[in-house]
Amino acid sequence: MSRTKTVLFISLIFLAIGCDALASTRLLYENFNDKVLDSRLVPRIYGAIAALPQYSYASPGRGGTGYSFASGTVAATWVQWPSSAMLKPWPSDEMYVSFWMRYPKFVNTDSHENIKIFYPHWNGISSYVHYAMSSSNVIYYSANSNNTAIDGGVWLTCPNQTDGQWHHYEFYVKFSQGISRFWYDGVLKLDRRYGTGKWTNDVSSIDVPSMDGEEPGTFTRQTDDLEIWDGMPTPTATPPTAPKSVGVRIIRTS
């Protein structure tokens, strides 16, 4: 084999291994369009499992088609991937969760609404990240490590959450390094690194969104296009770019 062919062959192997190493797997996807929950999800209200008509499937969903998961007779209904159905062990050192949410109706009733929107637990239930809508334009954030607070009093500006339009919420956790990130409508709003030894990937439950932590509020909310991954999603349609140092030359052989 010529030197050029050898270099090209080795480079292609390197690129293939690199792509596999960076690939993430989508563990759960629910768009609610068939009005049947993924078998791993349960509808929740505070302290109990919800039942129709405590929630409903509202039409149209995001994008003007299909359905979404919606609050019904009880304002704070949500879906949970509970510990009883959770992957054990969690397949990676990372977790990424994405969903879209809107409030068709919202009346401000409290100076701090405390409507929780993302509240996963791990290390049993002793560790978590906690996001709660404080007002239409603000989200409150805190975090725990083994029953000890490691962050709190963090107020994130996330404008127009209750304007009736769909908004995109994305969350990322890297357990071994204590990394916590949050994007609102594609804009990075939080980037924390707490360091090693704070968390493990013993995931207990994932709540999306979650309960109303104050007295019952006056609102309805809809959730759509829920995705849970074992890492940051990576594009699959775009091929990798070969390093500029690799030369490609076609050699004709008889």
Side-chain angles (χ1 to χ4, degrees):
M1 182 181 291
S2 70
R3 183 176 181 277
T4 302
K5 283 187 174 181
T6 301
V7 172
L8 177 58
F9 179 72
I10 293 173
S11 298
L12 290 175
I13 291 176
F14 174 79
L15 288 171
I17 293 174
C19 289
D20 288 342
L22 294 173
S24 299
T25 301
R26 188 169 67 180
L27 305 174
L28 187 149
Y29 173 63
E30 178 60 86
N31 62 15
F32 309 102
N33 286 345
D34 60 2
K35 298 191 286 185
V36 177
L37 283 179
D38 183 292
S39 61
R40 293 164 292 182
L41 297 175
V42 295
R44 289 294 310 275
I45 58 174
Y46 180 63
I49 294 176
L52 296 169
Q54 294 168 329
Y55 67 94
S56 64
Y57 296 100
S59 179
R62 187 178 73 89
T65 62
Y67 292 85
S68 64
F69 183 88
S71 58
T73 58
V74 176
T77 52
W78 71 93
V79 293
Q80 181 187 71
W81 191 354
S83 58
S84 59
M86 184 53 61
L87 289 173
K88 297 291 184 178
W90 187 258
S92 78
D93 183 40
E94 302 169 276
M95 175 174 66
Y96 167 85
V97 177
S98 166
F99 61 91
W100 293 75
M101 188 162 63
R102 78 182 190 107
Y103 293 78
K105 175 183 178 180
F106 180 82
V107 177
N108 184 264
T109 59
D110 198 296
S111 59
H112 174 48
E113 295 287 352
N114 197 16
I115 301 171
K116 303 181 190 304
I117 58 175
F118 187 58
Y119 203 11
H121 288 73
W122 53 89
N123 299 350
I125 58 172
S126 65
S127 298
Y128 58 76
V129 291
H130 163 261
Y131 295 82
M133 188 181 74
S134 177
S135 70
S136 296
N137 299 311
V138 176
I139 284 177
Y140 174 81
Y141 170 80
S142 63
N144 242 40
S145 167
N146 295 303
N147 288 322
T148 300
I150 57 174
D151 212 341
V154 182
W155 306 91
L156 307 171
T157 301
C158 301
N160 305 316
Q161 295 180 87
T162 61
D163 62 1
Q165 304 302 309
W166 288 103
H167 295 281
H168 194 192
Y169 298 78
E170 300 171 88
F171 306 87
Y172 172 80
V173 174
K174 187 173 180 66
F175 299 101
S176 64
Q177 297 180 26
I179 295 175
S180 175
R181 293 180 181 138
F182 163 57
W183 295 260
Y184 174 71
D185 283 344
V187 178
L188 182 64
K189 294 293 183 176
L190 181 89
D191 188 356
R192 290 286 202 264
R193 184 185 294 266
Y194 303 113
T196 60
K198 301 294 185 182
W199 294 332
T200 74
N201 67 341
D202 180 20
V203 178
S204 175
S205 62
I206 299 174
D207 293 87
V208 180
S210 193
M211 65 183 182
D212 183 355
E214 299 287 341
E215 69 281 351
T218 303
F219 65 91
T220 58
R221 67 183 175 188
Q222 297 173 3
T223 308
D224 208 355
D225 294 326
L226 167 63
E227 300 185 44
I228 299 177
W229 294 67
D230 66 0
M232 286 296 296
T234 52
T236 57
T238 304
T241 301
K244 294 182 179 179
S245 58
V246 175
V248 178
R249 180 165 58 93
I250 298 175
I251 300 177
R252 297 183 182 276
T253 59
S254 56

